[in-house]
């Protein structure tokens, strides 16, 4: 009977993790396809519009360091519920249709998402230490599936209702409320990140670890590319003559084609001692897709380029999250590395959408941003090769 209760508890936890993961992207990816509608309605520049996508990343950077500390004080499960509540409030606030509430709500959305981003890997490490790969596959695939849906349905939602883009943003409140209800059973638990490992596991040692920095840079650079393409790919494709509504669905396609690699990458990575070769393959596919956006003109070849980018994106985000589990010895190290990687990583990523917006305003061309994407993809590969080494963070000991 006890074993049956444990299985039910684990099943409820996995379902809860899936629904939390459902909320970690669509409130953000839904902005890119309708950013032109927001820009026109509020009378803002492309640079300022890009900041709407950047602001959640700044929240990620600030809250990712604090989230493990909050988890240690009140428990990871309760902290995640708090994050979902803040996310819900943020979605409602930014949908009111005024510039101050748009930016305040977007900031709160970032706070809510950041908490889930950081603490879910720690919960996976704690409850499923021998199944980090498969559970990471499940929740990253869930996350990316709804990210794709968010991009695809934004324009239909905005054009199908009198409230326009406001309704398209407010819609995601429903998903946050459902996740809060499903997460309620976890509030009976009060797991605070603790360490059973007697070696160097302090947060200070983490920040002195070269492996930790390489995981962080890999996380940040792949996030830079992801959020830039989610925010600006529709505009880039429109410059090639594609209709904006179709371009919005191309962002969905980009994310949907990445779902198989999102799922398979952690499973494969978990079986390998070193993930360096995987990183090299991801880098080559990413670079091919970006080069295609720069040089090809026909829709067929553009779609092939988008598929390459999507496949690489799906693999890179799931590999980055898997490395947090693989490069750490316990749930406390996982929480600290997750906080570090997502704080510094998303601070780096936050530069992207606004920088791209200002560069386009200045040059009226997408060539310079695409050159930057190429450089970033190369740097991401270099960092990922370092992060893929068979080492643990902090002590830099070889895994056995």
């Amino acid at each position: 009977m006890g074993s049956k209760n444990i299985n039910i508890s684990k099943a409820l936890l996995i379902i809860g993790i899936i629904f939390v993961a459902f909320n970690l992207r669509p409130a953000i990816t839904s902005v890119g396809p309708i950013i032109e509608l927001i820009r026109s309605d509020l009378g803002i520049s492309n640079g300022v519009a890009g900041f709407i996508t950047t602001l959640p990343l700044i929240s990620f950077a600030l809250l990712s360091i604090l989230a493990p500390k909050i988890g240690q004080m009140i428990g990871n499960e309760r902290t995640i519920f708090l994050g979902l509540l803040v996310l819900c409030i943020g979605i409602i606030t930014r949908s009111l249709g005024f510039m101050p509430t748009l930016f305040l709500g977007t900031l709160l959305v970032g706070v809510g998402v950041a908490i889930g981003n950081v603490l879910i890997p720690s919960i996976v490490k704690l409850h499923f230490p021998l199944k980090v790969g498969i559970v990471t596959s499940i929740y990253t695939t869930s996350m990316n599936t709804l990210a794709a849906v968010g991009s695809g349905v934004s324009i239909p939602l905005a054009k199908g209702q009198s409230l326009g883009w406001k309704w398209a943003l407010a819609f995601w409140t429903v998903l946050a409320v459902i996740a809060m209800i499903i997460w309620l059973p976890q509030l009976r638990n009060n797991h605070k990140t603790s360490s059973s490992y007697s070696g160097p596991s302090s947060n200070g040692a983490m920040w002195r670890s070269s492996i930790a920095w390489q995981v962080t840079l890999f996380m940040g650079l792949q996030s830079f590319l992801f959020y830039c393409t989610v925010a600006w790919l529709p505009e880039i494709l429109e410059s090639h003559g594609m209709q904006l509504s179709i371009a919005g669905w191309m962002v969905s396609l980009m994310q949907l084609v990445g779902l198989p690699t999102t799922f398979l990458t952690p499973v494969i990575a978990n079986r390998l001692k070193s993930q360096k070769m995987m990183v090299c393959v991801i880098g080559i596919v990413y670079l091919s897709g970006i080069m295609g956006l720069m040089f090809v003109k026909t829709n067929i070849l553009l779609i092939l380029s988008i598929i390459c980018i999507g496949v690489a994106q799906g693999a890179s985000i799931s590999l980055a999250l898997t490395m947090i589990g693989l490069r750490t010895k316990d749930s406390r190290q996982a929480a600290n590395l997750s906080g570090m990687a997502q704080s510094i990583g998303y601070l780096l990523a936050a530069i992207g959408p606004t920088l791209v917006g200002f560069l386009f305003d200045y040059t009226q061309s997408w060539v310079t941003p695409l050159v930057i994407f190429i450089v970033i993809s190369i740097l991401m590969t270099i960092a990922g090769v370092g992060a893929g080494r068979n080492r643990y963070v902090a002590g830099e000991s070889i895994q056995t």
Side-chain angles (χ1 to χ4, degrees), residues 210-243:
S210 64
I211 289 285
W213 276 104
Q214 286 158 347
V215 171
T216 296
L217 288 173
F218 183 68
M219 170 68 79
L221 293 171
Q222 67 83 26
S223 295
F224 182 105
L225 291 171
F226 174 78
Y227 286 103
C228 283
T229 50
V230 165
W232 295 113
L233 182 62
E235 306 289 327
I236 293 171
L237 295 176
E238 189 180 31
S239 72
H240 285 297
M242 189 177 290
Q243 291 182 0

PDB file of all heavy atoms in Angstrom, residues 210-243:
ATOM      1  N   SER A 210      35.091  26.437 -13.046  1.00  0.00           N
ATOM      2  CA  SER A 210      35.127  26.696 -14.495  1.00  0.00           C
ATOM      3  C   SER A 210      33.991  25.968 -15.209  1.00  0.00           C
ATOM      4  O   SER A 210      33.405  26.501 -16.163  1.00  0.00           O
ATOM      5  CB  SER A 210      36.481  26.288 -15.079  1.00  0.00           C
ATOM      6  OG  SER A 210      36.691  24.894 -14.957  1.00  0.00           O
ATOM      7  N   ILE A 211      33.671  24.750 -14.767  1.00  0.00           N
ATOM      8  CA  ILE A 211      32.562  24.008 -15.369  1.00  0.00           C
ATOM      9  C   ILE A 211      31.254  24.772 -15.189  1.00  0.00           C
ATOM     10  O   ILE A 211      30.432  24.886 -16.104  1.00  0.00           O
ATOM     11  CB  ILE A 211      32.435  22.604 -14.745  1.00  0.00           C
ATOM     12  CG1 ILE A 211      33.599  21.714 -15.181  1.00  0.00           C
ATOM     13  CG2 ILE A 211      31.108  21.948 -15.137  1.00  0.00           C
ATOM     14  CD1 ILE A 211      33.506  21.220 -16.600  1.00  0.00           C
ATOM     15  N   ALA A 212      31.056  25.321 -13.983  1.00  0.00           N
ATOM     16  CA  ALA A 212      29.829  26.085 -13.719  1.00  0.00           C
ATOM     17  C   ALA A 212      29.724  27.277 -14.657  1.00  0.00           C
ATOM     18  O   ALA A 212      28.643  27.584 -15.177  1.00  0.00           O
ATOM     19  CB  ALA A 212      29.790  26.542 -12.259  1.00  0.00           C
ATOM     20  N   TRP A 213      30.827  27.954 -14.897  1.00  0.00           N
ATOM     21  CA  TRP A 213      30.813  29.107 -15.806  1.00  0.00           C
ATOM     22  C   TRP A 213      30.549  28.682 -17.248  1.00  0.00           C
ATOM     23  O   TRP A 213      29.876  29.387 -17.998  1.00  0.00           O
ATOM     24  CB  TRP A 213      32.125  29.876 -15.698  1.00  0.00           C
ATOM     25  CG  TRP A 213      32.110  30.844 -14.552  1.00  0.00           C
ATOM     26  CD1 TRP A 213      32.718  30.718 -13.351  1.00  0.00           C
ATOM     27  CD2 TRP A 213      31.398  32.091 -14.510  1.00  0.00           C
ATOM     28  NE1 TRP A 213      32.443  31.801 -12.543  1.00  0.00           N
ATOM     29  CE2 TRP A 213      31.638  32.665 -13.229  1.00  0.00           C
ATOM     30  CE3 TRP A 213      30.592  32.769 -15.403  1.00  0.00           C
ATOM     31  CZ2 TRP A 213      31.094  33.887 -12.843  1.00  0.00           C
ATOM     32  CZ3 TRP A 213      30.052  33.990 -15.028  1.00  0.00           C
ATOM     33  CH2 TRP A 213      30.304  34.538 -13.766  1.00  0.00           C
ATOM     34  N   GLN A 214      31.063  27.529 -17.639  1.00  0.00           N
ATOM     35  CA  GLN A 214      30.831  27.054 -18.998  1.00  0.00           C
ATOM     36  C   GLN A 214      29.375  26.637 -19.196  1.00  0.00           C
ATOM     37  O   GLN A 214      28.780  26.919 -20.240  1.00  0.00           O
ATOM     38  CB  GLN A 214      31.801  25.901 -19.308  1.00  0.00           C
ATOM     39  CG  GLN A 214      33.221  26.401 -19.531  1.00  0.00           C
ATOM     40  CD  GLN A 214      34.281  25.336 -19.305  1.00  0.00           C
ATOM     41  OE1 GLN A 214      34.018  24.271 -18.752  1.00  0.00           O
ATOM     42  NE2 GLN A 214      35.504  25.635 -19.725  1.00  0.00           N
ATOM     43  N   VAL A 215      28.786  25.987 -18.195  1.00  0.00           N
ATOM     44  CA  VAL A 215      27.349  25.685 -18.248  1.00  0.00           C
ATOM     45  C   VAL A 215      26.551  26.981 -18.332  1.00  0.00           C
ATOM     46  O   VAL A 215      25.588  27.095 -19.104  1.00  0.00           O
ATOM     47  CB  VAL A 215      26.920  24.865 -17.014  1.00  0.00           C
ATOM     48  CG1 VAL A 215      25.396  24.737 -16.964  1.00  0.00           C
ATOM     49  CG2 VAL A 215      27.560  23.480 -17.029  1.00  0.00           C
ATOM     50  N   THR A 216      26.969  27.972 -17.539  1.00  0.00           N
ATOM     51  CA  THR A 216      26.287  29.266 -17.517  1.00  0.00           C
ATOM     52  C   THR A 216      26.342  29.952 -18.875  1.00  0.00           C
ATOM     53  O   THR A 216      25.331  30.469 -19.370  1.00  0.00           O
ATOM     54  CB  THR A 216      26.920  30.179 -16.445  1.00  0.00           C
ATOM     55  OG1 THR A 216      26.702  29.591 -15.154  1.00  0.00           O
ATOM     56  CG2 THR A 216      26.327  31.577 -16.477  1.00  0.00           C
ATOM     57  N   LEU A 217      27.519  29.967 -19.489  1.00  0.00           N
ATOM     58  CA  LEU A 217      27.654  30.614 -20.797  1.00  0.00           C
ATOM     59  C   LEU A 217      26.879  29.855 -21.875  1.00  0.00           C
ATOM     60  O   LEU A 217      26.268  30.473 -22.753  1.00  0.00           O
ATOM     61  CB  LEU A 217      29.133  30.716 -21.179  1.00  0.00           C
ATOM     62  CG  LEU A 217      29.949  31.739 -20.379  1.00  0.00           C
ATOM     63  CD1 LEU A 217      31.431  31.633 -20.732  1.00  0.00           C
ATOM     64  CD2 LEU A 217      29.443  33.154 -20.638  1.00  0.00           C
ATOM     65  N   PHE A 218      26.905  28.545 -21.805  1.00  0.00           N
ATOM     66  CA  PHE A 218      26.128  27.757 -22.773  1.00  0.00           C
ATOM     67  C   PHE A 218      24.639  28.069 -22.634  1.00  0.00           C
ATOM     68  O   PHE A 218      23.936  28.291 -23.625  1.00  0.00           O
ATOM     69  CB  PHE A 218      26.389  26.264 -22.557  1.00  0.00           C
ATOM     70  CG  PHE A 218      25.691  25.378 -23.553  1.00  0.00           C
ATOM     71  CD1 PHE A 218      26.071  25.379 -24.886  1.00  0.00           C
ATOM     72  CD2 PHE A 218      24.662  24.535 -23.153  1.00  0.00           C
ATOM     73  CE1 PHE A 218      25.431  24.559 -25.811  1.00  0.00           C
ATOM     74  CE2 PHE A 218      24.014  23.717 -24.067  1.00  0.00           C
ATOM     75  CZ  PHE A 218      24.397  23.724 -25.393  1.00  0.00           C
ATOM     76  N   MET A 219      24.161  28.114 -21.384  1.00  0.00           N
ATOM     77  CA  MET A 219      22.767  28.473 -21.130  1.00  0.00           C
ATOM     78  C   MET A 219      22.452  29.875 -21.661  1.00  0.00           C
ATOM     79  O   MET A 219      21.444  30.095 -22.339  1.00  0.00           O
ATOM     80  CB  MET A 219      22.477  28.402 -19.623  1.00  0.00           C
ATOM     81  CG  MET A 219      21.128  28.972 -19.210  1.00  0.00           C
ATOM     82  SD  MET A 219      19.711  28.013 -19.793  1.00  0.00           S
ATOM     83  CE  MET A 219      19.713  26.689 -18.585  1.00  0.00           C
ATOM     84  N   GLY A 220      23.318  30.828 -21.358  1.00  0.00           N
ATOM     85  CA  GLY A 220      23.063  32.221 -21.733  1.00  0.00           C
ATOM     86  C   GLY A 220      23.094  32.452 -23.225  1.00  0.00           C
ATOM     87  O   GLY A 220      22.235  33.158 -23.770  1.00  0.00           O
ATOM     88  N   LEU A 221      24.066  31.878 -23.905  1.00  0.00           N
ATOM     89  CA  LEU A 221      24.203  32.129 -25.340  1.00  0.00           C
ATOM     90  C   LEU A 221      23.096  31.447 -26.142  1.00  0.00           C
ATOM     91  O   LEU A 221      22.581  32.019 -27.113  1.00  0.00           O
ATOM     92  CB  LEU A 221      25.582  31.668 -25.812  1.00  0.00           C
ATOM     93  CG  LEU A 221      26.754  32.494 -25.227  1.00  0.00           C
ATOM     94  CD1 LEU A 221      28.092  31.848 -25.556  1.00  0.00           C
ATOM     95  CD2 LEU A 221      26.715  33.937 -25.723  1.00  0.00           C
ATOM     96  N   GLN A 222      22.689  30.240 -25.720  1.00  0.00           N
ATOM     97  CA  GLN A 222      21.567  29.609 -26.426  1.00  0.00           C
ATOM     98  C   GLN A 222      20.274  30.378 -26.145  1.00  0.00           C
ATOM     99  O   GLN A 222      19.406  30.476 -27.011  1.00  0.00           O
ATOM    100  CB  GLN A 222      21.452  28.120 -26.083  1.00  0.00           C
ATOM    101  CG  GLN A 222      21.060  27.764 -24.671  1.00  0.00           C
ATOM    102  CD  GLN A 222      19.570  27.803 -24.408  1.00  0.00           C
ATOM    103  OE1 GLN A 222      18.766  27.634 -25.322  1.00  0.00           O
ATOM    104  NE2 GLN A 222      19.200  28.064 -23.163  1.00  0.00           N
ATOM    105  N   SER A 223      20.157  30.953 -24.935  1.00  0.00           N
ATOM    106  CA  SER A 223      18.980  31.769 -24.620  1.00  0.00           C
ATOM    107  C   SER A 223      18.980  33.055 -25.425  1.00  0.00           C
ATOM    108  O   SER A 223      17.923  33.530 -25.876  1.00  0.00           O
ATOM    109  CB  SER A 223      18.947  32.098 -23.122  1.00  0.00           C
ATOM    110  OG  SER A 223      18.781  30.936 -22.354  1.00  0.00           O
ATOM    111  N   PHE A 224      20.150  33.663 -25.608  1.00  0.00           N
ATOM    112  CA  PHE A 224      20.299  34.863 -26.447  1.00  0.00           C
ATOM    113  C   PHE A 224      19.710  34.602 -27.826  1.00  0.00           C
ATOM    114  O   PHE A 224      18.900  35.384 -28.337  1.00  0.00           O
ATOM    115  CB  PHE A 224      21.787  35.213 -26.541  1.00  0.00           C
ATOM    116  CG  PHE A 224      22.098  36.466 -27.330  1.00  0.00           C
ATOM    117  CD1 PHE A 224      22.450  37.634 -26.684  1.00  0.00           C
ATOM    118  CD2 PHE A 224      22.066  36.461 -28.724  1.00  0.00           C
ATOM    119  CE1 PHE A 224      22.762  38.783 -27.409  1.00  0.00           C
ATOM    120  CE2 PHE A 224      22.365  37.591 -29.464  1.00  0.00           C
ATOM    121  CZ  PHE A 224      22.712  38.764 -28.792  1.00  0.00           C
ATOM    122  N   LEU A 225      20.114  33.494 -28.431  1.00  0.00           N
ATOM    123  CA  LEU A 225      19.641  33.162 -29.778  1.00  0.00           C
ATOM    124  C   LEU A 225      18.146  32.851 -29.782  1.00  0.00           C
ATOM    125  O   LEU A 225      17.414  33.284 -30.687  1.00  0.00           O
ATOM    126  CB  LEU A 225      20.431  31.970 -30.331  1.00  0.00           C
ATOM    127  CG  LEU A 225      21.906  32.237 -30.651  1.00  0.00           C
ATOM    128  CD1 LEU A 225      22.625  30.936 -30.971  1.00  0.00           C
ATOM    129  CD2 LEU A 225      22.042  33.218 -31.812  1.00  0.00           C
ATOM    130  N   PHE A 226      17.680  32.120 -28.768  1.00  0.00           N
ATOM    131  CA  PHE A 226      16.269  31.745 -28.727  1.00  0.00           C
ATOM    132  C   PHE A 226      15.374  32.973 -28.643  1.00  0.00           C
ATOM    133  O   PHE A 226      14.429  33.127 -29.440  1.00  0.00           O
ATOM    134  CB  PHE A 226      15.999  30.815 -27.531  1.00  0.00           C
ATOM    135  CG  PHE A 226      14.541  30.509 -27.338  1.00  0.00           C
ATOM    136  CD1 PHE A 226      13.902  29.578 -28.141  1.00  0.00           C
ATOM    137  CD2 PHE A 226      13.792  31.163 -26.372  1.00  0.00           C
ATOM    138  CE1 PHE A 226      12.544  29.297 -27.978  1.00  0.00           C
ATOM    139  CE2 PHE A 226      12.447  30.887 -26.188  1.00  0.00           C
ATOM    140  CZ  PHE A 226      11.818  29.952 -27.006  1.00  0.00           C
ATOM    141  N   TYR A 227      15.647  33.862 -27.697  1.00  0.00           N
ATOM    142  CA  TYR A 227      14.754  35.002 -27.498  1.00  0.00           C
ATOM    143  C   TYR A 227      14.860  36.028 -28.619  1.00  0.00           C
ATOM    144  O   TYR A 227      13.875  36.708 -28.929  1.00  0.00           O
ATOM    145  CB  TYR A 227      15.007  35.636 -26.127  1.00  0.00           C
ATOM    146  CG  TYR A 227      14.461  34.785 -25.013  1.00  0.00           C
ATOM    147  CD1 TYR A 227      15.292  33.994 -24.238  1.00  0.00           C
ATOM    148  CD2 TYR A 227      13.091  34.726 -24.767  1.00  0.00           C
ATOM    149  CE1 TYR A 227      14.781  33.182 -23.238  1.00  0.00           C
ATOM    150  CE2 TYR A 227      12.567  33.912 -23.778  1.00  0.00           C
ATOM    151  CZ  TYR A 227      13.420  33.148 -23.013  1.00  0.00           C
ATOM    152  OH  TYR A 227      12.901  32.339 -22.041  1.00  0.00           O
ATOM    153  N   CYS A 228      16.030  36.122 -29.243  1.00  0.00           N
ATOM    154  CA  CYS A 228      16.153  37.012 -30.408  1.00  0.00           C
ATOM    155  C   CYS A 228      15.316  36.501 -31.576  1.00  0.00           C
ATOM    156  O   CYS A 228      14.622  37.275 -32.246  1.00  0.00           O
ATOM    157  CB  CYS A 228      17.615  37.134 -30.832  1.00  0.00           C
ATOM    158  SG  CYS A 228      18.604  38.232 -29.786  1.00  0.00           S
ATOM    159  N   THR A 229      15.380  35.193 -31.819  1.00  0.00           N
ATOM    160  CA  THR A 229      14.628  34.654 -32.956  1.00  0.00           C
ATOM    161  C   THR A 229      13.128  34.657 -32.677  1.00  0.00           C
ATOM    162  O   THR A 229      12.323  34.918 -33.579  1.00  0.00           O
ATOM    163  CB  THR A 229      15.095  33.232 -33.308  1.00  0.00           C
ATOM    164  OG1 THR A 229      15.112  32.418 -32.126  1.00  0.00           O
ATOM    165  CG2 THR A 229      16.487  33.249 -33.909  1.00  0.00           C
ATOM    166  N   VAL A 230      12.737  34.357 -31.438  1.00  0.00           N
ATOM    167  CA  VAL A 230      11.314  34.400 -31.097  1.00  0.00           C
ATOM    168  C   VAL A 230      10.757  35.811 -31.271  1.00  0.00           C
ATOM    169  O   VAL A 230       9.646  36.009 -31.772  1.00  0.00           O
ATOM    170  CB  VAL A 230      11.081  33.904 -29.648  1.00  0.00           C
ATOM    171  CG1 VAL A 230       9.691  34.282 -29.149  1.00  0.00           C
ATOM    172  CG2 VAL A 230      11.258  32.394 -29.575  1.00  0.00           C
ATOM    173  N   ALA A 231      11.549  36.824 -30.880  1.00  0.00           N
ATOM    174  CA  ALA A 231      11.083  38.213 -30.958  1.00  0.00           C
ATOM    175  C   ALA A 231      11.098  38.760 -32.379  1.00  0.00           C
ATOM    176  O   ALA A 231      10.185  39.492 -32.777  1.00  0.00           O
ATOM    177  CB  ALA A 231      11.933  39.102 -30.046  1.00  0.00           C
ATOM    178  N   TRP A 232      12.122  38.411 -33.165  1.00  0.00           N
ATOM    179  CA  TRP A 232      12.341  39.119 -34.418  1.00  0.00           C
ATOM    180  C   TRP A 232      12.269  38.268 -35.680  1.00  0.00           C
ATOM    181  O   TRP A 232      12.309  38.811 -36.791  1.00  0.00           O
ATOM    182  CB  TRP A 232      13.703  39.832 -34.383  1.00  0.00           C
ATOM    183  CG  TRP A 232      13.744  40.922 -33.352  1.00  0.00           C
ATOM    184  CD1 TRP A 232      14.495  40.939 -32.225  1.00  0.00           C
ATOM    185  CD2 TRP A 232      12.994  42.139 -33.351  1.00  0.00           C
ATOM    186  NE1 TRP A 232      14.265  42.096 -31.511  1.00  0.00           N
ATOM    187  CE2 TRP A 232      13.344  42.855 -32.186  1.00  0.00           C
ATOM    188  CE3 TRP A 232      12.048  42.687 -34.227  1.00  0.00           C
ATOM    189  CZ2 TRP A 232      12.795  44.084 -31.860  1.00  0.00           C
ATOM    190  CZ3 TRP A 232      11.496  43.921 -33.910  1.00  0.00           C
ATOM    191  CH2 TRP A 232      11.870  44.609 -32.750  1.00  0.00           C
ATOM    192  N   LEU A 233      12.147  36.941 -35.546  1.00  0.00           N
ATOM    193  CA  LEU A 233      12.060  36.115 -36.752  1.00  0.00           C
ATOM    194  C   LEU A 233      10.897  36.507 -37.662  1.00  0.00           C
ATOM    195  O   LEU A 233      11.061  36.561 -38.887  1.00  0.00           O
ATOM    196  CB  LEU A 233      11.968  34.627 -36.377  1.00  0.00           C
ATOM    197  CG  LEU A 233      11.927  33.663 -37.576  1.00  0.00           C
ATOM    198  CD1 LEU A 233      13.203  33.772 -38.405  1.00  0.00           C
ATOM    199  CD2 LEU A 233      11.718  32.217 -37.103  1.00  0.00           C
ATOM    200  N   PRO A 234       9.701  36.814 -37.107  1.00  0.00           N
ATOM    201  CA  PRO A 234       8.618  37.242 -38.013  1.00  0.00           C
ATOM    202  C   PRO A 234       9.000  38.463 -38.848  1.00  0.00           C
ATOM    203  O   PRO A 234       8.687  38.526 -40.045  1.00  0.00           O
ATOM    204  CB  PRO A 234       7.469  37.570 -37.048  1.00  0.00           C
ATOM    205  CG  PRO A 234       7.718  36.714 -35.861  1.00  0.00           C
ATOM    206  CD  PRO A 234       9.212  36.687 -35.707  1.00  0.00           C
ATOM    207  N   GLU A 235       9.684  39.434 -38.224  1.00  0.00           N
ATOM    208  CA  GLU A 235      10.098  40.632 -38.959  1.00  0.00           C
ATOM    209  C   GLU A 235      11.169  40.295 -40.002  1.00  0.00           C
ATOM    210  O   GLU A 235      11.179  40.851 -41.111  1.00  0.00           O
ATOM    211  CB  GLU A 235      10.637  41.684 -37.980  1.00  0.00           C
ATOM    212  CG  GLU A 235       9.695  42.041 -36.847  1.00  0.00           C
ATOM    213  CD  GLU A 235       8.503  42.846 -37.328  1.00  0.00           C
ATOM    214  OE1 GLU A 235       8.669  43.624 -38.283  1.00  0.00           O
ATOM    215  OE2 GLU A 235       7.412  42.673 -36.763  1.00  0.00           O
ATOM    216  N   ILE A 236      12.093  39.399 -39.651  1.00  0.00           N
ATOM    217  CA  ILE A 236      13.136  38.992 -40.593  1.00  0.00           C
ATOM    218  C   ILE A 236      12.501  38.310 -41.805  1.00  0.00           C
ATOM    219  O   ILE A 236      12.859  38.598 -42.963  1.00  0.00           O
ATOM    220  CB  ILE A 236      14.148  38.046 -39.906  1.00  0.00           C
ATOM    221  CG1 ILE A 236      14.935  38.796 -38.823  1.00  0.00           C
ATOM    222  CG2 ILE A 236      15.114  37.450 -40.934  1.00  0.00           C
ATOM    223  CD1 ILE A 236      15.804  37.903 -37.957  1.00  0.00           C
ATOM    224  N   LEU A 237      11.556  37.417 -41.555  1.00  0.00           N
ATOM    225  CA  LEU A 237      10.896  36.715 -42.660  1.00  0.00           C
ATOM    226  C   LEU A 237      10.034  37.658 -43.494  1.00  0.00           C
ATOM    227  O   LEU A 237       9.951  37.522 -44.720  1.00  0.00           O
ATOM    228  CB  LEU A 237      10.045  35.572 -42.104  1.00  0.00           C
ATOM    229  CG  LEU A 237      10.812  34.444 -41.418  1.00  0.00           C
ATOM    230  CD1 LEU A 237       9.853  33.418 -40.821  1.00  0.00           C
ATOM    231  CD2 LEU A 237      11.763  33.762 -42.403  1.00  0.00           C
ATOM    232  N   GLU A 238       9.419  38.645 -42.833  1.00  0.00           N
ATOM    233  CA  GLU A 238       8.625  39.632 -43.568  1.00  0.00           C
ATOM    234  C   GLU A 238       9.514  40.425 -44.522  1.00  0.00           C
ATOM    235  O   GLU A 238       9.092  40.795 -45.626  1.00  0.00           O
ATOM    236  CB  GLU A 238       7.920  40.571 -42.594  1.00  0.00           C
ATOM    237  CG  GLU A 238       6.907  41.490 -43.269  1.00  0.00           C
ATOM    238  CD  GLU A 238       6.208  42.425 -42.299  1.00  0.00           C
ATOM    239  OE1 GLU A 238       6.837  42.803 -41.292  1.00  0.00           O
ATOM    240  OE2 GLU A 238       5.052  42.791 -42.552  1.00  0.00           O
ATOM    241  N   SER A 239      10.768  40.664 -44.114  1.00  0.00           N
ATOM    242  CA  SER A 239      11.697  41.385 -44.994  1.00  0.00           C
ATOM    243  C   SER A 239      12.051  40.576 -46.239  1.00  0.00           C
ATOM    244  O   SER A 239      12.495  41.120 -47.244  1.00  0.00           O
ATOM    245  CB  SER A 239      12.983  41.738 -44.237  1.00  0.00           C
ATOM    246  OG  SER A 239      13.782  40.585 -44.010  1.00  0.00           O
ATOM    247  N   HIS A 240      11.841  39.248 -46.161  1.00  0.00           N
ATOM    248  CA  HIS A 240      12.051  38.377 -47.326  1.00  0.00           C
ATOM    249  C   HIS A 240      10.785  38.250 -48.175  1.00  0.00           C
ATOM    250  O   HIS A 240      10.765  37.485 -49.143  1.00  0.00           O
ATOM    251  CB  HIS A 240      12.501  36.988 -46.878  1.00  0.00           C
ATOM    252  CG  HIS A 240      13.925  36.916 -46.411  1.00  0.00           C
ATOM    253  ND1 HIS A 240      15.002  37.173 -47.222  1.00  0.00           N
ATOM    254  CD2 HIS A 240      14.444  36.627 -45.192  1.00  0.00           C
ATOM    255  CE1 HIS A 240      16.127  37.039 -46.545  1.00  0.00           C
ATOM    256  NE2 HIS A 240      15.816  36.709 -45.293  1.00  0.00           N
ATOM    257  N   GLY A 241       9.709  38.960 -47.782  1.00  0.00           N
ATOM    258  CA  GLY A 241       8.482  38.949 -48.563  1.00  0.00           C
ATOM    259  C   GLY A 241       7.394  38.038 -48.034  1.00  0.00           C
ATOM    260  O   GLY A 241       6.336  37.909 -48.657  1.00  0.00           O
ATOM    261  N   MET A 242       7.614  37.429 -46.883  1.00  0.00           N
ATOM    262  CA  MET A 242       6.609  36.534 -46.313  1.00  0.00           C
ATOM    263  C   MET A 242       5.565  37.350 -45.554  1.00  0.00           C
ATOM    264  O   MET A 242       5.902  38.329 -44.887  1.00  0.00           O
ATOM    265  CB  MET A 242       7.287  35.521 -45.371  1.00  0.00           C
ATOM    266  CG  MET A 242       6.384  34.413 -44.886  1.00  0.00           C
ATOM    267  SD  MET A 242       7.275  33.196 -43.847  1.00  0.00           S
ATOM    268  CE  MET A 242       8.319  32.399 -45.073  1.00  0.00           C
ATOM    269  N   GLN A 243       4.286  36.957 -45.648  1.00  0.00           N
ATOM    270  CA  GLN A 243       3.233  37.646 -44.907  1.00  0.00           C
ATOM    271  C   GLN A 243       3.460  37.475 -43.404  1.00  0.00           C
ATOM    272  O   GLN A 243       3.878  36.415 -42.941  1.00  0.00           O
ATOM    273  CB  GLN A 243       1.855  37.088 -45.280  1.00  0.00           C
ATOM    274  CG  GLN A 243       1.425  37.411 -46.693  1.00  0.00           C
ATOM    275  CD  GLN A 243       0.029  36.866 -46.992  1.00  0.00           C
ATOM    276  OE1 GLN A 243      -0.599  36.242 -46.134  1.00  0.00           O
ATOM    277  NE2 GLN A 243      -0.440  37.102 -48.203  1.00  0.00           N
TER     278      GLN A 243
END
